[in-house]
Amino acid sequence: MRTCQMLYPAESSSRRAVSMDGMWKFSLDERQEGEKNGWKNGVPGREMIPVPASFQDFYTDKDTREYTGDVWYETDFFVPGEWEGMEVGIRFGCATHCAQVYVNGKEAAYHEGGFLPFLVPVTELVAYNAFNKVVVRVNNELSETRIPCGAVKVLKNGKKMSKPYFDFYNYSGLQRPVKLVAFPREHVEDYSVRFELDGADALVHYTVETTGEHPVSVELYDEEQKLAASASGKEGTLHVADAHRWDVGDGYLYEFRIRIADGEKLIDEYADRIGIRTVEIAGRNILLNGRPVYLKGFGKHEDSDIAGRGFNINVMKRDFECMKWIGANCFRTSHYPYSEEIYRMADREGILIIDEVAAVGMFRSLMNFAEASSGKQTSFFTSPTIPQLLAHHLQCVEDMICRDKNHPSVIAWSLFNEPETTDVSSTAYFEKIFEKAAEVDPQKRPRTFAMIGNSGPDTCKCQHLCDFLSLNRYYGWYLLGGYELSDAEEAFRQEMDGWVKKSPERPLIFTEYGADTSAAEHKLPSVMWSQEYQEEYLEMSHRVFDSYDFVAGELVWNFADFQTTEGIMRVNGNKKGIFTRQRQPKAAAWYFKKRWESLPRDYKG
Ligand code: BDP
């Protein structure tokens, strides 16, 4: 059941998917007694907590919010008698960061990696036509053997706390939807599509993996439910006449229906929505359906009040409305793969996604944003934990691509955020990650990684691997801020001239640039942190972007203010949002609206 777990759990005439979301029993394991006291049979106490959500922001005491270690969840679920003979599983949208799952007291699965789904097979563990119990031990400790990287500190009073090497709060728990699923023994395991445009027509090349030998047929329906093409076999090509292409702002989706049948008898049926479009890099341009597209948008986070990083359908809706209002066409899933529902929404809205794996914190520092330009070296890629980290990172890349490969919205893979690439020891590691992405992506989408400030044209040892370059730059904020802004512009241009020399015929985008801004501060003339300064900073950055032809996109940091670990550099979180954490505009939002609505789709094309 390795790949099937990545298919979105959908219902059909042969499949069932029942939500297990709601209030679950919950307990911290402060004394680390859960294992020895048999909590796998039932979590003690009466505490209940919502799923999906991060556990941290519900409680009013700091020990619970900062709690680091095991937490336990439990719920009962009913398995219908009619499902006997089918494969039954519990599908977790994610468990951050590691989970041990028990069903009716028996070990059912262990999973590592906090931002990708996994399916726990329970066919043999459950009682049919009866209630069953699932208990999950979730651990939120960070280490250097898994992504995202970080450490655990033990305080003198014995309590543990998280020390992320990254700038977002270590929210954790069962943060995404959980579903009880059932499907036939012989079933669709996985499918892939890739596209070729042929004038007004399109070819959809598909492959389907199943667990048996019965014949497979596929059908494609347009949005009016009219049959657009059909074919049979586990591999083949659908010829779509006059294809409605999926494009920016035009999220046209076809329904792709897969059937396994034994003569007249249907064995399994799975349907998904796909968009017909191509993506490629040609010279200095990113091409969508053969036409240049300039990326406008954000680095984001899954982050909101109370639910933390928990999937929040309401916040998702608001975020897309804000992105459309401001004229954005793209976002990066910084710094981890997001909830699947968000990609489905982007598919519908015609918004582009740069999909990022959770490889963040590969620079040993609690304040990389401030230390990156200081010359600090941490020799991250020579550490003895690297082989273990690499194995996990490879698995996450494979799982992310397997999960997200069929989304038309996903146009590129970001394989790292701000790793320490100034040391040659990083190159071999990077090569393996980049190769893996190419190997497992049927569409061979462009690959990139977001470069930290000190990884410049003359210092970055991994730049050659990128299909397009992605820079995180803070000239005028961490570097030469305030009245020194004119020097910042000069330093910025100097670096850009270096990139022109090094890599003139490859697109370069900005995956981060931004300035912390308090929604409460206005000041004339500006000071750093005021809304006026945010605009001056942005105007300077855009002047630089606009004067280089190979700049193919701007994703400002960040869409909204978000929670981080507390510290002297953060005022209850990172305030670089163009929107507040409550998704209301700061002054800069109107500035962006004006700019982005006036830039043509093929700006610089
Ligand atoms: C970069 C990181 C990002 C931070 C941002 C910042 O990629 O996660 O939040 O800078 O400092 O270092 O605001």
Side-chain angles (χ1 to χ4, degrees):
M1 274 216 227
R2 244 211 61 70
T3 50
C4 181
Q5 56 193 312
M6 293 301 162
L7 280 187
Y8 190 75
E11 299 211 286
S12 75
S13 54
S14 59
R15 291 174 171 246
R16 299 289 175 267
V18 179
S19 173
M20 294 175 71
D21 297 350
M23 297 300 281
W24 289 41
K25 278 190 83 177
F26 178 76
S27 181
L28 306 183
D29 191 355
E30 285 162 299
R31 288 195 294 268
Q32 293 182 48
E33 60 185 331
E35 287 292 349
K36 63 175 182 288
N37 289 347
W39 290 11
K40 63 183 182 184
N41 297 308
V43 176
R46 306 187 70 244
E47 185 57 27
M48 305 283 280
I49 203 172
V51 171
S54 310
F55 72 79
Q56 280 89 353
D57 286 354
F58 293 117
Y59 297 97
T60 51
D61 69 297
K62 201 154 173 171
D63 284 343
T64 304
R65 189 187 71 203
E66 298 301 322
Y67 178 81
T68 301
D70 288 340
V71 297
W72 293 71
Y73 289 82
E74 175 196 324
T75 196
D76 289 340
F77 61 101
F78 188 80
V79 181
E82 308 87 90
W83 292 6
E84 227 171 328
M86 295 175 85
E87 301 250 16
V88 181
I90 302 175
R91 198 207 191 249
F92 291 86
C94 78
T96 318
H97 298 280
C98 299
Q100 174 71 56
V101 182
Y102 303 93
V103 172
N104 296 329
K106 297 206 184 70
E107 278 188 26
Y110 176 71
H111 183 264
E112 290 193 345
F115 301 98
L116 287 161
F118 57 100
L119 180 70
V120 180
V122 301
T123 315
E124 314 296 336
L125 298 175
V126 290
Y128 290 84
N129 212 23
F131 278 99
N132 293 269
K133 188 189 297 298
V134 59
V135 170
V136 190
R137 174 173 62 80
V138 181
N139 181 280
N140 70 350
E141 294 176 30
L142 298 166
S143 79
E144 291 187 17
T145 59
R146 280 191 313 265
I147 54 174
C149 298
V152 173
K153 177 174 180 179
V154 183
L155 303 178
K156 296 233 163 47
N157 63 12
K159 292 191 196 301
K160 291 192 259 184
M161 73 178 287
S162 298
K163 289 285 185 186
Y165 301 166
F166 48 83
D167 184 40
F168 53 92
Y169 196 75
N170 187 35
Y171 280 121
S172 37
L174 297 180
Q175 307 187 115
R176 293 183 187 161
V178 184
K179 283 180 177 154
L180 181 65
V181 296
F183 43 85
R185 290 261 149 93
E186 182 173 352
H187 58 260
V188 176
E189 273 277 283
D190 193 15
Y191 83 92
S192 314
V193 282
R194 63 191 175 82
F195 311 102
E196 239 182 285
L197 304 179
D198 180 14
D201 303 344
L203 304 180
V204 180
H205 303 291
Y206 72 89
T207 60
V208 175
E209 269 178 49
T210 72
T211 54
E213 290 314 318
H214 283 101
V216 168
S217 63
V218 302
E219 288 172 338
L220 196 68
Y221 291 88
D222 67 15
E223 285 196 357
E224 279 73 56
Q225 296 302 315
K226 282 211 295 287
L227 185 68
S230 61
S232 51
K234 290 188 181 182
E235 265 181 59
T237 298
L238 293 163
H239 296 258
V240 188
D242 209 8
H244 192 140
R245 294 171 186 182
W246 187 96
D247 215 316
V248 175
D250 182 12
Y252 191 91
L253 299 174
Y254 287 87
E255 189 183 316
F256 183 66
R257 236 181 256 172
I258 308 168
R259 285 206 183 86
I260 309 175
D262 182 3
E264 289 295 288
K265 200 174 135 246
L266 180 82
I267 296 177
D268 188 25
E269 180 175 39
Y270 183 83
D272 205 358
R273 294 192 192 278
I274 61 167
I276 298 177
R277 58 100 188 89
T278 60
V279 189
E280 72 204 285
I281 302 292
R284 297 170 177 185
N285 292 312
I286 299 170
L287 303 184
L288 189 69
N289 297 326
R291 291 170 53 213
V293 58
Y294 186 81
L295 308 182
K296 303 175 285 188
F298 303 97
K300 287 184 95 265
H301 265 298
E302 290 183 289
D303 174 278
S304 64
D305 286 332
I306 302 175
R309 204 163 319 294
F311 171 65
N312 185 324
I313 197 167
N314 310 294
V315 173
M316 172 178 79
K317 174 69 180 166
R318 174 72 181 181
D319 284 5
F320 277 91
E321 290 307 315
C322 290
M323 284 192 278
K324 287 188 289 180
W325 170 80
I326 205 170
N329 63 17
C330 182
F331 65 93
R332 174 172 64 125
T333 68
S334 39
H335 293 305
Y336 35 81
Y338 290 0
S339 218
E340 291 151 295
E341 289 72 14
I342 296 173
Y343 299 74
R344 292 162 76 84
M345 183 89 174
D347 290 347
R348 287 207 85 85
E349 297 286 3
I351 297 230
L352 308 171
I353 291 179
I354 297 178
D355 205 0
E356 185 160 276
V357 73
V360 57
M362 294 184 165
F363 178 77
R364 213 168 278 111
S365 163
L366 303 179
M367 287 201 300
N368 355 32
F369 43 90
E371 291 181 323
S373 337
S374 69
K376 181 175 172 168
Q377 296 279 337
T378 75
S379 302
F380 189 88
F381 288 95
T382 59
S383 131
T385 50
I386 283 296
Q388 212 184 327
L389 180 66
L390 174 64
H392 175 66
H393 190 170
L394 287 167
Q395 186 65 59
C396 291
V397 168
E398 189 171 342
D399 287 354
M400 171 180 78
I401 295 180
C402 187
R403 188 192 73 160
D404 297 338
K405 63 189 170 185
N406 294 318
H407 288 289
S409 54
V410 174
I411 56 156
W413 309 112
S414 171
L415 302 172
F416 299 80
N417 181 68
E418 300 199 335
E420 187 173 30
T421 47
T422 47
D423 192 296
V424 281
S425 58
S426 56
T427 315
Y429 185 107
F430 270 62
E431 280 166 1
K432 294 192 187 78
I433 296 291
F434 272 72
E435 273 163 28
K436 174 60 82 184
E439 174 200 321
V440 295
D441 180 13
Q443 295 184 9
K444 309 290 176 224
R445 290 170 180 84
R447 299 153 303 165
T448 191
F449 73 94
M451 275 183 214
I452 197 165
N454 62 359
S455 288
D458 300 320
T459 49
C460 179
K461 310 293 185 216
C462 300
Q463 50 177 294
H464 58 286
L465 296 168
C466 293
D467 297 310
F468 62 91
L469 296 169
S470 299
L471 304 190
N472 293 358
R473 288 299 178 268
Y474 288 95
Y475 291 99
W477 187 252
Y478 294 122
L479 227 76
L480 303 166
Y483 193 49
E484 292 172 88
L485 193 63
S486 52
D487 280 5
E489 179 165 353
E490 221 174 288
F492 200 171
R493 286 179 187 275
Q494 230 172 53
E495 183 187 343
M496 292 302 285
D497 293 342
W499 285 112
V500 170
K501 276 204 201 96
K502 193 87 183 193
S503 173
E505 286 309 320
R506 188 167 35 164
L508 178 155
I509 69 163
F510 287 91
T511 32
E512 288 185 26
Y513 63 106
D516 283 275
T517 305
S518 156
E521 293 295 345
H522 276 289
K523 186 125 177 158
L524 193 64
S526 76
V527 287
M528 291 173 81
W529 292 87
S530 69
Q531 303 214 41
E532 287 70 19
Y533 186 73
Q534 190 177 31
E535 273 194 60
E536 284 167 24
Y537 166 95
L538 292 168
E539 278 164 10
M540 181 284 280
S541 304
H542 295 150
R543 252 195 323 274
V544 175
F545 302 173
D546 290 344
S547 43
Y548 292 87
D549 284 348
F550 69 156
V551 173
E554 50 191 63
L555 306 184
V556 67
W557 191 254
N558 187 285
F559 171 74
D561 293 347
F562 60 91
Q563 192 65 57
T564 64
T565 308
E566 60 193 326
I568 53 167
M569 301 284 285
R570 295 289 177 254
V571 189
N572 183 18
N574 187 309
K575 299 288 189 245
K576 295 193 184 70
I578 301 307
F579 294 89
T580 62
R581 200 184 193 205
Q582 293 69 38
R583 275 60 178 179
Q584 296 303 336
K586 294 184 192 170
W590 276 277
Y591 164 76
F592 268 112
K593 184 171 168 60
K594 208 165 147 207
R595 173 174 168 83
W596 284 346
E597 284 181 346
S598 73
L599 292 184
R601 167 208 158 109
D602 61 350
Y603 181 50
K604 310 264 185 77

